[in-house]
Amino acid sequence: MGLDPGLRRLALGTLLAAYPGPVPPEWAVDLVAAGLAGHTLFGSNVHDAVQVSASTAALRSGRPDVLIAIDEEGGDVTRLAHATGSPYPGNAALGAIGDVALTRQVYQAIGAELASLGITLDLAPTVDVNTADDNPIIGTRSFGADPESVAAHAAAATTGLQAAGVAACAKHFPGHGATVADSHHELPTVDVAPDLLRQRDLPPFAAVVAAGAKAVMTAHIRVPALTGDGPATFSRAVLVDLLRHEYGFDGVIVTDALEMKGAALAAGGIAPGAVRALAAGADLLCIGAKVDADLVERVVAEIVAALGDGRLERTRVEQAAGRAADLAAWTRTTDRTTATPTDLGYAAARRAVRVEGVLTGLDRSLVVHLHANSTIAEGRVPWGLGPHLDATEQIRVVAAETDPADLRRRAGDRPIVLVVRHLHRLAGGPELASALAAAHPVAVVEMGWPATWRPDAVRAFVTTYGASHANGRAAAEVLGLAR
């Protein structure tokens, strides 16, 4: 027997799916017509503005109020500019500048671009307080390590996005900034008392709630004092007692992708995870990036089965679907502002650059780009100085496989500019930088999360607070190497 049509539609109303390729397949549009809350766009869905606009129009042909979401954080996490890098600096750079009015402007500009393409929900801003220098997944996505500063920028970013008519989704509740593991691959643990969370991790969430954020995203992290052995995404104590009751949030609670190991391993799969998230108080379930029609139907079937066997109450699912529907209605009726000039991000990135040491004499350098892996959140987005250099020679190397003597010979009498990302934790990176600086003029351009470690004897240390296209341009300019 098939599923009850009413229950199927109810379950679909809680789901954010996805689809492969630049053109929405027929099944993706059919699911929207059948009640699916919406789809999330990833880099594989984005070729250019004309194509994205056609895709969102196709999805709206299924239902005009479909939610169309995207992870467009600016900085190191961009889907619209995944082929080139974002024209905006990310949160770490904005936090370093310290101008909340600028943060609002940048996010309003991002929101205006999304709105012009028919995208209605931005899975941003990241409002985690990055207190762990070795955090492998947040880093430059954070406004910083100070809760008060992060809270101010988080509120500004939320206000900016929503002024453009795009719903903001602040993430990752109750805070992913103190982790040293990536929830895409495992379940990180933050073993602290709730009072420390309130002081360190939660002020930005209080700020975005006060700013009227339409959505908040859950974290697949374990806080034993609140969540026991499971992630916050499956914890009623976190989602209802803390976020709803203590912090007064009445918008949509969105899960981080249920395909991530931090959730899927804990639940025994995506479909059981969907049931557990709904039972805990989540409203809109992000299935993930690798989605097809069969997976959506399996998740729907599991939700409907849970309604029948008592794991879920119908009123809870109706509440979740109702909140998602209310969010979709807001995106159709809210006022929108126009776009901001396109050079805003580049000007902001220049303001973020910090220089320690002396930059003179670097205009005839050998630029050495050290390979660094990207996170799943970042994806394979180009970074570095390459697109911005004049006639300066650039080579790309793997730090752990490179002999510093070979680089010195290649440079000859030219200084060396090392372009890096998270140098302090790059395999072989600190050793290579120190060995080069001990016997050769070296400047380091750090485009990742800045740590306190510095190589001995380095001539200059330049921090960009991110690796976006705008950050790369700003670094090339300050070094005197830009076209």
Side-chain angles (χ1 to χ4, degrees), residues 33-55:
L36 182 77
H39 285 286
T40 302
L41 303 184
F42 293 89
S44 60
N45 305 123
V46 175
H47 281 189
D48 56 46
V50 172
Q51 168 266 320
V52 173
S53 294
S55 295

Side-chain angles (χ1 to χ4, degrees), residues 234 258 267-277 298-299 302 311:
F234 302 154
L258 294 175
I270 295 173
V275 171
R276 289 187 61 179
R298 288 199 302 273
V299 174
E302 187 75 16
R311 284 177 291 159

Side-chain angles (χ1 to χ4, degrees), residues 23 152 386 460:
V23 178

